[in-house]
Amino acid sequence: MTNNNNIRKGFVFKTYEAPFQSPFDKLFEIFKELITHTSGDFDEAIDWLRELDKEYKLTTAEYTVDDFIEDLKKKGYIKEEIDPNGNGGIAITAKTERAIRQQALDHIFGNIKRSGQGNHKSKSPGIGDEHTGDFRNYQFGDALDKVSMTESLKNAQINHGIGEFRLSEDDLVVEETLHKSQMSTVLMIDISHSMILYGEDRITPAKKVAMALAELIITRYPKDTLDIIVFGNDAWQIEIKDLPYLKVGPYHTNTVAGLQLAMDLLRRKRNTNKQIFMITDGKPSCLRLPDGQYYKDSAGLNPYITNKCYDMAQQARKLHIPITTFMIAQDPYLMQFVREFTHANQGKAFYTGLKGLGEMIFEDYETNRKKRIRG
């Protein structure tokens, strides 16, 4: 008898249908991108949105850009405010800042899933609180709450039999655990004028990476710390909420000032694992002298300035602070400086364009913090 219920296996191909998005959500995705490029300037972002609407027909007669602006107000993404000169205007809110960080995280680290506990595992087993499923023989000094009673009783039955059951020290096994290590990171962002020179916007990708890294730590690794520093002629710390508004200035590149501030911040941290990430596209070209004057050399790679950089790299090495440099330029003479700087610190360097910068920073962040906590 023929069986007509044949099971067919294979692939079915059909035209891709994008997930449904409301008119607001569709425009909001674009708006978040524009507000990042305009460094938080709402009016400029809306002007760009209107231009895009003219070219790509983003809105309809039923839902216009003006309707979108009204929805932004109702949903708490923008607010009306008055500047010091008494002029009225519209500014984005903290809710928008969080949404921008989340979008950056999704775009750059889209394959990362939020962990329920928000912890990393270190590479080496030891006294910790993350179970591995591996067992070892009991050693004097092991805490009793680490003894696996199930495995130990099983060993006792195998070794002594049920008729003469007894539990000896040789039967005891301990389940291995891992440390949930914590990391303190300082991210240094170059805001010298060259970050927008040569027809390439380098500061916006740097901002996106910083926002994505910040959101990653806040949501997945809340016990870690992230401090963000910008450096031009001088260096100063900024808050995470300031990132969308970050702009390049008419500055030289004072790498030494950035490193000094980064190490000062990390000295105050109690975490064992510490690191510095530095995003830069240019050469160190500025120092601040003890009398407050600036020593500048736009030609680049002045030995007086570069030697100070090497000294700072060595100081960080003595403090067990690795520096990872992400060089957004591939000029041979600049790469040579970075190689020598990295050698002085025994850190790492990536010579990269803007593409893939976020992925590399994430991978290095994950790798660096998987270290055993000692002492």
Side-chain angles (χ1 to χ4, degrees):
M1 183 170 62
T2 305
N3 183 3
N4 294 324
N5 296 324
N6 293 327
I7 300 174
R8 298 181 180 181
K9 297 181 179 180
F11 297 97
V12 177
F13 296 92
K14 60 182 181 179
T15 304
Y16 172 75
E17 296 180 5
F20 172 77
Q21 276 188 310
S22 68
F24 173 82
D25 291 336
K26 187 183 299 183
L27 292 177
F28 192 49
E29 290 295 309
I30 301 170
F31 172 76
K32 286 183 288 186
E33 191 72 24
L34 292 174
I35 205 72
T36 302
H37 280 274
T38 63
S39 297
D41 189 322
F42 175 81
D43 292 334
E44 185 180 356
I46 290 298
D47 287 343
W48 276 106
L49 185 61
R50 293 187 190 278
E51 291 299 317
L52 291 172
D53 184 29
K54 290 178 184 177
E55 185 169 355
Y56 297 104
K57 309 300 181 186
L58 302 175
T59 65
T60 64
E62 291 76 25
Y63 194 86
T64 66
V65 172
D66 290 330
D67 294 325
F68 172 67
I69 294 173
E70 286 302 312
D71 279 348
L72 286 175
K73 292 179 182 178
K74 292 176 183 176
K75 294 176 184 290
Y77 288 111
I78 59 175
K79 61 182 179 181
E80 295 183 3
E81 63 178 17
I82 299 175
D83 64 23
N85 297 323
N87 300 318
I90 295 178
I92 63 175
T93 65
K95 186 177 181 179
T96 304
E97 293 163 3
R98 288 193 301 272
I100 294 170
R101 292 198 302 268
Q102 185 60 53
Q103 178 166 286
L105 176 63
D106 293 340
H107 285 178
I108 295 174
F109 306 146
N111 61 331
I112 305 304
K113 303 297 183 184
R114 179 170 177 171
S115 165
Q117 293 184 343
N119 299 302
H120 286 296
K121 296 179 182 178
S122 62
K123 290 181 179 178
S124 304
I127 302 172
D129 51 8
E130 182 75 19
H131 296 282
T132 67
D134 298 325
F135 299 96
R136 61 172 173 81
N137 292 333
Y138 174 83
Q139 298 174 357
F140 178 77
D142 285 333
L144 291 179
D145 62 347
K146 300 299 181 185
V147 174
S148 172
M149 293 307 300
T150 302
E151 294 296 320
S152 300
L153 290 172
K154 184 173 72 173
N155 286 344
Q157 290 178 357
I158 294 172
N159 296 334
H160 310 294
I162 298 177
E164 296 183 11
F165 179 79
R166 66 179 186 273
L167 183 67
S168 66
E169 183 178 336
D170 293 335
D171 301 322
L172 299 178
V173 292
V174 174
E175 185 174 2
E176 289 278 29
T177 54
L178 291 171
H179 286 291
K180 296 175 182 176
S181 60
Q182 297 176 5
M183 174 67 79
S184 289
T185 302
V186 173
L187 177 62
M188 295 173 51
I189 302 174
D190 184 350
I191 58 167
S192 62
H193 187 55
S194 60
M195 289 289 278
I196 55 171
L197 284 180
Y198 317 117
E200 185 173 50
D201 175 11
R202 295 166 173 172
I203 191 63
T204 299
K207 285 195 295 186
K208 288 183 178 179
V209 167
M211 288 190 288
L213 188 60
E215 192 66 13
L216 178 78
I217 291 174
I218 291 170
T219 57
R220 185 168 178 178
Y221 310 126
K223 292 184 180 180
D224 287 6
T225 67
L226 174 66
D227 292 287
I228 301 171
I229 289 173
V230 294
F231 61 105
N233 290 350
D234 294 290
W236 60 94
Q237 187 177 5
I238 64 171
E239 300 294 330
I240 291 173
K241 64 180 179 63
D242 299 327
L243 281 168
Y245 314 102
L246 187 60
K247 296 181 180 179
V248 166
Y251 307 124
H252 287 70
T253 308
N254 191 344
T255 306
V256 169
L259 293 170
Q260 286 174 333
L261 179 54
M263 283 190 280
D264 285 344
L265 290 170
L266 289 174
R267 284 190 188 98
R268 304 172 198 164
K269 306 297 183 184
R270 301 179 64 180
N271 293 345
T272 302
N273 297 332
K274 302 176 182 180
Q275 64 182 350
I276 295 172
F277 286 165
M278 179 167 62
I279 303 175
T280 180
D281 75 318
K283 51 194 174 292
S285 58
C286 176
L287 281 177
R288 191 163 191 174
L289 302 175
D291 63 1
Q293 298 292 317
Y294 291 101
Y295 180 86
K296 300 176 182 177
D297 186 352
S298 299
L301 300 191
N302 182 301
Y304 181 70
I305 296 175
T306 56
N307 286 337
K308 293 288 186 181
C309 293
Y310 301 146
D311 289 344
M312 294 302 300
Q314 290 173 347
Q315 287 183 37
R317 179 184 176 186
K318 291 177 182 177
L319 293 171
H320 306 290
I321 300 174
I323 302 171
T324 304
T325 304
F326 296 88
M327 195 73 177
I328 312 176
Q330 297 186 3
D331 307 75
Y333 73 107
L334 295 179
M335 293 170 67
Q336 180 60 34
F337 159 72
V338 174
R339 276 193 287 268
E340 294 179 14
F341 177 85
T342 302
H343 177 73
N345 176 255
Q346 293 298 294
K348 285 181 284 186
F350 294 89
Y351 309 96
T352 174
L354 299 175
K355 187 177 180 180
L357 175 64
E359 288 86 346
M360 282 188 291
I361 287 184
F362 167 72
E363 289 172 6
D364 206 54
Y365 176 79
E366 289 270 88
T367 301
N368 286 357
R369 72 181 312 286
K370 291 178 182 175
K371 298 178 181 179
R372 185 171 182 178
I373 301 176
R374 301 185 182 277

